Amino acid sequence: MASIGEDAASAGDVPPAAAAVADGAHLLGFSDEILLHILSHVPSIDLILNVRRTCRKLAALCLDKSLTHTVLLQKDYEASEDKVKQLVTEIGWEIQQLSMAGCYWLSGSTVEHVARCRGLVKVNLSGCHLTSLRLSKVLSALQRLRSLAIDVSPGFDASQLSGECKATLSRVRELKQTLYTPSYGVVPCCTSLEKLLLYFEILDRTREGAVLSGQLMVGQSNVPRYQHLRVFYARLAPGYINQEVVRLYLAVLSDRTPENLHAFLISVPGSFAESGATKNLLESMARNVALDALQLPKSWLNGSALLQHMKFSSPFYFSFSRCALSGGHLIRRVIDGGRDLRSLAGLNLSGCAHCLAPDSLLRKAEDDIDSGILETLVAACGNLRHLNLSAAHHHSPEGPGRHLCQLLARLCHLRSLSLPVCAVADSAPRADRAPVQPATHAVPRGFGKKVRIGVPSGPDPFSGQAGPLPSSVFWSLLKSVPFLDRLELIGSNFSSAMPRNEPAIRNSLPPCGRAQSVGDSEVAAIGQLAFLRHLTLAQLPSILTGSGLVSIGVQCQQLQSLSLAHLGTMGKVAYTSALADMLKHCKRLKDLRLEQPYFSANAQFFQALSQCSALQRLCLVSRSGTLQPEAVLAFMARCLHVVVCHLFTGESLSTCRSLQQSLLRSLSLQQQTAWLSIP
């Protein structure tokens, strides 16, 4: 953008001759509509503080309402204190939507500048430094606010909120509140709430080891009013105290269920026992409301006739994760014998081992699914965009057109899909399927033609050009859903050593037997997904060389998030070279999570990772693994956008501390704000 300013700064406006330079049109010769579209991809800080100063034309366009209406600063790690203050000073009156989520490096005094954006309708301050008094000062000035997202941290005191602040909160219709301490937060003041999102992240103990109580403090027990509530969502982190606090929120709902409630979702790791209040709430919901979205803890659904009495109008999301819902119950109670559910956009059946089987709950893991149940499901929910069938064994029976992948191929609108590894395996070895040789990277011979090692001459099956394609059902499925944005292929017995919102399980189970037939060629099939942005591969024991990863790296150029776990045999990592070749092509990769025992994080790995120029977050979990401190230092020196680096390996504590100190010494003041955790 600086070159544009050099072309036009001397004259102020764009000279006529600037419309045609060299071999093509000058950028400023494009129409305003095209330029506005281009500028919409420029971060707000850079747009207002840099691009706007290049010439008069761009100065006017950068202040267009379509660009200043919404300002997104989350994950913009170059947004310094001074830049944020200057941005608010220059266009604060134009901003209507502002997100500073996760801007932990900004001081409280900088956050206070949000009060200057008096036209704000929506603001997200999650992860920012906010005290009760600072929140009160900011909200007192935002009289037009209708949507708010904040954290409630220890020390929060609702009695410190001013009258003007409470008046603003009384007009808020959407509230996202992350709780780090037992509290109602600002909920009692939000008397017009239509949408309430609660995230419970309360620890059972303080850092000093003191046990916390889930009982709310005196003065926080004001009964919230939910009469206008339409959406209620609660997500709990592991811990008993989170369950105690959410019961207090639900107790209020059980007294009088809002008549307009149409989405009720609770996500709880592990078990969450019902109480008298929750039973009353569910019974009241079954009598008085017609839901469009439903997610309940598994213990609330198992063995109950709740679904039989629930009423649904135009459902768009169902989650029955880890409950004992059988296929017969799913068809009769949810799909109602095959009724039209074209409105349903999302269906989560993760961990539902019996959802594609008949009513008998005596099903064994190796038993086949009932294709008729899946066919009914697919026919009734033809517009599904998000489907999760992971964490269960779904083995397809023999016969043409009965395989799970063949039936799911009819869901052409899918954008995200999560499947167990054993579900994509062919039902049985097929004589008509020619073996697919794994593709390897090309080896140059001087300036001559590249020769592919181990691949027969003829059309390359991984190049996307014309030629014979592998006949696996998984390949055919992915060909039918070309616009898939997110794909998860996870072993049915896989459990992470460091799960995010689930209890850790120490005793992992071996991979499913059918997963043994899913290998490099199936992984290479993922390369068809040109629009793929998020990919998870976990517990694929038959990954030999990892050659399929190279195909993904070359062809999936939109990939931003990659998670790999337990590929190949556990005692030996055989895909290191292929992973290095893959990473060289991942120019847009921002997040990489690698969980692999005995992984060697050596110079080759970090040198390849250094070519991921957009990388921001790295997490390596490797029991009995090793790392080379010098390689880590060189990697961090080259990749200046990395802000999170988690390395959990088998190295000694002294080695890790030495590496951490070396990193802190070598990084600049700006980079020292990054979160470095190397236990």
Side-chain angles (χ1 to χ4, degrees):
M1 288 296 183
S3 61
I4 301 174
E6 294 171 0
D7 291 337
S10 59
D13 288 315
V14 183
V21 295
D23 297 327
H26 192 281
L27 176 64
L28 297 180
F30 290 125
S31 66
D32 289 354
E33 290 76 10
I34 294 178
L35 288 175
L36 285 173
H37 179 73
I38 295 174
L39 294 174
S40 67
H41 296 278
V42 179
S44 298
I45 292 284
D46 196 24
L47 188 73
I48 301 301
L49 304 186
N50 297 322
V51 179
R52 189 165 68 93
R53 290 171 168 77
T54 57
C55 67
R56 292 179 183 176
K57 182 170 184 177
L58 290 181
L61 289 177
C62 287
L63 293 179
D64 188 87
K65 289 185 178 181
S66 65
L67 300 179
T68 59
H69 175 275
T70 301
V71 173
L72 306 178
L73 299 181
Q74 76 272 19
K75 299 181 181 179
D76 186 356
Y77 300 105
E78 296 183 1
S80 64
E81 304 257 355
D82 292 338
K83 290 180 179 180
V84 171
K85 293 177 182 178
Q86 190 176 354
L87 175 73
V88 170
T89 300
E90 296 199 18
I91 64 166
W93 67 90
E94 296 284 351
I95 303 175
Q96 295 187 29
Q97 298 186 26
L98 172 64
S99 177
M100 297 174 64
C103 293
Y104 56 86
W105 60 89
L106 299 179
S107 65
S109 60
T110 300
V111 176
E112 286 186 10
H113 278 64
V114 174
R116 298 188 177 186
C117 307
R118 297 183 178 272
L120 273 179
V121 176
K122 181 176 183 178
V123 63
N124 189 334
L125 300 176
S126 300
C128 295
H129 297 286
L130 276 177
T131 62
S132 306
L133 291 175
R134 184 167 289 126
L135 177 66
S136 179
K137 181 178 180 180
V138 171
L139 296 186
S140 296
L142 307 180
Q143 299 181 7
R144 300 181 183 179
L145 195 66
R146 296 296 180 268
S147 179
L148 174 66
I150 59 170
D151 294 345
V152 178
S153 302
F156 180 86
D157 185 0
S159 65
Q160 296 180 340
L161 302 180
S162 66
E164 293 82 0
C165 173
K166 292 180 179 179
T168 296
L169 289 171
S170 68
R171 294 185 289 268
V172 168
R173 297 174 184 173
E174 297 182 5
L175 175 65
K176 177 186 175 184
Q177 190 169 259
T178 304
L179 297 169
Y180 294 98
T181 187
S183 172
Y184 278 127
V186 299
V187 172
C189 303
C190 302
T191 55
S192 301
L193 274 184
E194 296 179 3
K195 185 176 182 180
L196 177 59
L197 309 178
L198 298 171
Y199 295 79
F200 295 85
E201 300 282 349
I202 312 170
L203 299 177
D204 289 341
R205 295 176 180 269
T206 64
R207 292 186 176 181
E208 294 75 23
V211 179
L212 288 174
S213 171
Q215 296 299 318
L216 298 184
M217 298 175 60
V218 176
Q220 296 178 333
S221 57
N222 298 327
V223 177
R225 287 173 282 182
Y226 294 124
Q227 58 265 37
H228 303 293
L229 200 64
R230 295 174 54 83
V231 176
F232 180 87
Y233 174 82
R235 191 190 74 185
L236 281 66
Y240 175 71
I241 193 170
N242 289 311
Q243 298 185 12
E244 275 193 332
V245 177
V246 78
R247 289 184 198 277
L248 297 175
Y249 281 82
L250 295 176
V252 179
L253 280 174
S254 66
D255 291 337
R256 180 184 175 186
T257 305
E259 297 179 357
N260 294 324
L261 189 68
H262 73 94
F264 186 79
L265 305 105
I266 300 181
S267 175
V268 181
S271 60
F272 184 25
E274 279 190 284
S275 63
T278 55
K279 290 181 179 179
N280 293 337
L281 171 61
L282 297 178
E283 291 175 359
S284 176
M285 288 170 53
R287 291 192 307 267
N288 302 319
V289 299
L291 295 174
D292 294 334
L294 177 66
Q295 177 177 355
L296 297 176
K298 62 178 182 179
S299 56
W300 295 13
L301 288 173
N302 291 343
S304 74
L306 175 65
L307 287 179
Q308 190 171 359
H309 303 291
M310 281 287 182
K311 296 186 290 290
F312 304 108
S313 55
S314 298
F316 61 86
Y317 177 74
F318 286 141
S319 177
F320 306 110
S321 178
R322 302 189 183 279
C323 76
L325 184 71
S326 70
H329 291 167
L330 179 66
I331 299 301
R332 290 196 303 270
R333 298 179 180 178
V334 180
I335 303 179
D336 196 13
R339 67 171 175 168
D340 185 3
L341 285 180
R342 284 179 294 181
S343 62
L344 195 65
L347 179 61
N348 185 356
L349 296 172
S350 173
C352 297
H354 312 286
C355 66
L356 299 181
D359 289 345
S360 174
L361 298 182
L362 301 178
R363 178 179 183 267
K364 299 179 182 178
E366 61 270 16
D367 293 342
D368 292 339
I369 63 173
D370 187 331
S371 296
I373 293 175
L374 180 58
E375 190 167 9
T376 302
L377 177 66
V378 170
C381 310
N383 290 328
L384 271 180
R385 298 172 63 87
H386 313 282
L387 178 63
N388 191 337
L389 292 172
S390 63
H393 298 267
H394 296 312
H395 300 163
S396 299
E398 297 291 339
R402 302 181 65 193
H403 196 282
L404 179 141
C405 289
Q406 293 173 320
L407 295 173
L408 294 184
R410 303 177 187 177
L411 300 173
C412 56
H413 299 287
L414 280 179
R415 294 298 180 267
S416 69
L417 178 63
S418 183
L419 293 175
V421 176
C422 57
V424 307
D426 283 345
S427 302
R430 294 170 49 180
D432 62 338
R433 180 183 176 189
V436 179
Q437 298 292 336
T440 59
H441 58 283
V443 181
R445 293 184 174 182
F447 295 98
K449 184 179 179 181
K450 293 181 178 180
V451 179
R452 291 186 177 271
I453 306 301
V455 179
S457 60
D460 181 7
F462 303 101
S463 66
Q465 301 175 356
L469 295 178
S471 57
S472 74
V473 289
F474 184 53
W475 188 289
S476 300
L477 167 62
L478 298 185
K479 184 180 180 181
S480 302
V481 288
F483 298 105
L484 208 64
D485 171 80
R486 181 186 299 268
L487 176 64
E488 295 180 347
L489 198 59
I490 305 175
S492 49
N493 291 332
F494 174 73
S495 58
S496 172
M498 300 183 68
R500 172 63 181 93
N501 273 319
E502 293 290 336
I505 301 175
R506 294 186 179 275
N507 298 323
S508 58
L509 298 175
C512 174
R514 289 209 185 187
Q516 301 291 340
S517 61
V518 180
D520 293 315
S521 60
E522 281 75 17
V523 172
I526 300 173
Q528 299 177 86
L529 304 175
F531 299 96
L532 190 69
R533 293 195 300 170
H534 309 278
L535 175 63
T536 298
L537 300 174
Q539 202 180 44
L540 280 76
S542 293
I543 297 298
L544 300 178
T545 63
S547 57
L549 297 174
V550 183
S551 299
I552 296 174
V554 171
Q555 301 184 69
C556 300
Q557 287 297 298
Q558 303 297 322
L559 194 64
Q560 297 181 12
S561 174
L562 176 64
S563 178
L564 305 176
H566 293 198
L567 303 185
T569 58
M570 292 297 96
K572 182 179 180 181
V573 184
Y575 64 92
T576 304
S577 179
L579 176 61
D581 285 343
M582 175 194 190
L583 293 175
K584 295 175 183 178
H585 302 283
C586 298
K587 301 303 181 183
R588 299 190 179 184
L589 189 67
K590 294 182 179 180
D591 299 87
L592 175 63
R593 189 180 194 279
L594 183 60
E595 182 172 343
Q596 186 76 40
Y598 304 100
F599 186 84
S600 176
N602 53 23
Q604 178 192 12
F605 169 72
F606 281 108
Q607 185 175 5
L609 193 59
S610 299
Q611 299 186 49
C612 300
S613 54
L615 192 69
Q616 295 180 353
R617 288 168 288 276
L618 170 65
C619 179
L620 174 63
V621 181
S622 182
R623 175 175 50 86
S624 303
T626 60
L627 62 84
Q628 294 180 0
E630 297 80 6
V632 178
L633 291 171
F635 160 71
M636 292 296 291
R638 287 192 293 264
C639 293
L640 301 180
H641 295 291
V642 174
V643 293
V644 176
C645 182
H646 289 216
L647 304 176
F648 301 93
T649 67
E651 292 292 344
S652 65
L653 185 60
S654 60
T655 299
C656 294
R657 286 178 174 172
S658 176
L659 173 59
Q660 190 175 43
Q661 292 301 317
S662 298
L663 283 170
L664 292 174
R665 284 194 301 267
S666 63
L667 297 179
S668 64
L669 291 176
Q670 181 179 359
Q671 292 170 312
Q672 286 184 21
T673 61
W675 180 12
L676 303 174
S677 176
I678 312 178

